[in-house]
Amino acid sequence: MTERKSVAEKIDILRKEKNAVILAHNYQLPEVQDIADFTGDSLALSQMAATTDADIIVFCGVHFMAETASIISPQKKVLIPDLKAGCTLADAITADQLRAWKKEHPGAVVVSYINTTAEVKAESDYCCTSSNAVKVVKSIPEDKEILFLPDMFLGAYAAKVTGRKLHIWPGECHIHAGIMTRDLEEMESEHPGAEMIVHPECGCTTSLLYQNANVSAIGNGNGGSNGNGNGHVKFLSTGGMIKHVSASNAREFVIATETGMLHPLRKANPDKTFYPAREDAVCRFMKMITLEKILKSLEEEVYEVKVPDATARLAKKSIDRMLEITA
Ligand code: 13P
């Protein structure tokens, strides 16, 4: 009688046979995170794509993330298990819109969040992620005008922390934008001792920042505390959340981001308690990747994400500048 293998076991056999690496974002389904070779935030996943010696990268995330991996490692085959896994924030600005915006501000430096298409990155001077937006903006000479896109809450955060005047594109991630100040206030009254951990794409970011008098203390490239009067609100990337929570003496945390984040936090900190700021902060695109689709992806080597050479070369410059600043 032949032994029946589980989907996870089949994935394991194939990834070894094909010298493939499975990268998963922190918002992926728990079972996807659990079988991945590496999980992380956008920056860590880009760094991993740049250094892996695998021949195939199976990217469990949304399309711009797989595109970024392909731009960084054009010699590798980059696969996304479901081509429909898109990002509404990345769709908030097109390359044509950016070209028109640049014309209105000749000589301005363009800083694009990693949640953008390859074409938009190709029109940009710098790429950034939530973990290094502040560092990237700080690295630009004071006399330069800056166009920051496409997330208005992250832009407001970077402007406040750096004290720089940024032109900010009015885009948003609908999941993060839906996490409002009143959600955090409600959670705070239910869990008065909990630390509030906030992704800077959240709709509450701006008001939390402006409630706080001591904003100059905020942020150091990895996020930071805004204190909101008592020092228990932190703005962090998803990777920054994992680092911060492990080091914190607090026992309870309210997590203001996509709820997939609860899984790696709980896994790494079984003795701490986590509450999502909103139970319904679920990105349906992030949840499109399943174990069955990963297996199909490895078996059939689908769906390849490849950026045309000319676009990839230009886009890579903006990513390389970011990676140099962050290294
Ligand atoms: P992080 O880089 O903090 O993981 O954010 C990724 C993202 O896409 C948020 O919408």
Side-chain angles (χ1 to χ4, degrees):
M1 207 176 98
T2 51
E3 191 198 338
R4 291 197 57 171
K5 292 195 168 53
S6 68
V7 176
E9 285 168 329
K10 289 182 191 168
I11 289 173
D12 215 27
I13 292 168
L14 268 181
R15 91 172 104 193
K16 285 183 192 124
E17 263 176 37
K18 297 197 171 192
N19 189 27
V21 67
I22 301 174
L23 304 185
H25 187 264
N26 289 321
Y27 298 155
Q28 289 289 292
L29 290 170
E31 59 272 27
V32 170
Q33 296 194 33
D34 289 346
I35 59 101
D37 294 288
F38 184 79
T39 56
D41 65 9
S42 308
L43 177 63
L45 293 172
S46 311
Q47 287 165 330
M48 191 49 83
T51 53
T52 177
D53 56 10
D55 296 314
I56 295 178
I57 298 175
V58 179
F59 213 112
C60 304
V62 287
H63 194 267
F64 78 82
M65 295 180 175
E67 232 181 23
T68 305
S70 168
I71 293 165
I72 292 172
S73 291
Q75 72 290 0
K76 297 195 195 322
K77 192 176 237 185
V78 178
L79 306 174
I80 188 162
D82 189 331
L83 268 178
K84 289 192 286 301
C87 171
T88 52
L89 177 56
D91 294 338
I93 186 166
T94 64
D96 279 345
Q97 287 172 313
L98 176 52
R99 279 188 282 270
W101 201 26
K102 281 164 67 170
K103 271 201 187 122
E104 289 168 24
H105 299 275
V109 175
V110 177
V111 179
S112 287
Y113 195 26
I114 196 159
N115 300 42
T116 44
T117 61
E119 289 78 24
V120 167
K121 287 186 181 75
E123 287 289 333
S124 306
D125 298 295
Y126 291 86
C127 187
C128 74
T129 73
S130 57
S131 69
N132 59 25
V134 168
K135 256 192 187 167
V136 169
V137 168
K138 274 188 180 162
S139 76
I140 297 167
E142 296 271 345
D143 60 341
K144 288 281 179 195
E145 229 185 328
I146 299 177
L147 306 184
F148 189 98
L149 62 108
D151 190 84
M152 60 180 166
F153 298 108
L154 180 65
Y157 171 76
K160 190 74 177 163
V161 175
T162 59
R164 297 287 293 269
K165 191 176 168 304
L166 308 179
H167 299 282
I168 299 170
W169 190 259
E172 62 178 33
C173 154
H174 61 290
I175 301 299
H176 282 101
I179 302 177
M180 310 299 284
T181 312
R182 67 171 175 276
D183 297 315
L184 289 207
E185 284 166 357
E186 271 172 37
M187 292 307 284
E188 186 160 34
S189 63
E190 279 173 41
H191 308 286
E195 261 191 3
M196 302 282 149
I197 308 290
V198 179
H199 194 282
E201 278 180 36
C202 285
C204 55
T205 296
T206 321
S207 60
L208 287 174
L209 281 167
Y210 282 86
Q211 273 168 26
N212 178 42
N214 184 24
V215 286
S216 59
I218 300 167
N220 51 17
N222 243 346
S225 164
N226 89 342
N228 81 340
N230 49 15
H232 70 287
V233 177
K234 315 277 180 215
F235 292 100
L236 294 160
S237 70
T238 63
M241 290 181 188
I242 296 179
K243 279 190 213 134
H244 171 78
V245 162
S246 300
S248 170
N249 290 327
R251 311 307 303 160
E252 294 188 311
F253 301 84
V254 172
I255 305 299
T257 191
E258 208 274 348
T259 58
M261 194 57 221
L262 278 285
H263 178 66
L265 287 170
R266 287 180 175 140
K267 204 168 149 181
N269 303 276
D271 54 331
K272 296 180 178 174
T273 308
F274 299 93
Y275 310 101
R278 284 189 72 106
E279 295 275 359
D280 62 354
V282 178
C283 172
R284 68 187 176 88
F285 299 106
M286 279 283 178
K287 308 304 185 221
M288 284 180 174
I289 312 292
T290 61
L291 291 187
E292 286 73 18
K293 288 180 190 173
I294 296 171
L295 180 59
K296 179 177 164 170
S297 186
L298 278 165
E299 281 169 345
E300 299 176 21
E301 301 193 9
V302 289
Y303 297 91
E304 187 167 4
V305 176
K306 190 100 190 105
V307 177
D309 284 351
T311 309
R313 261 197 309 277
L314 287 171
K316 190 168 184 299
K317 285 190 188 159
S318 71
I319 298 169
D320 285 345
R321 283 193 193 112
M322 167 186 80
L323 293 176
E324 275 161 29
I325 291 168
T326 317

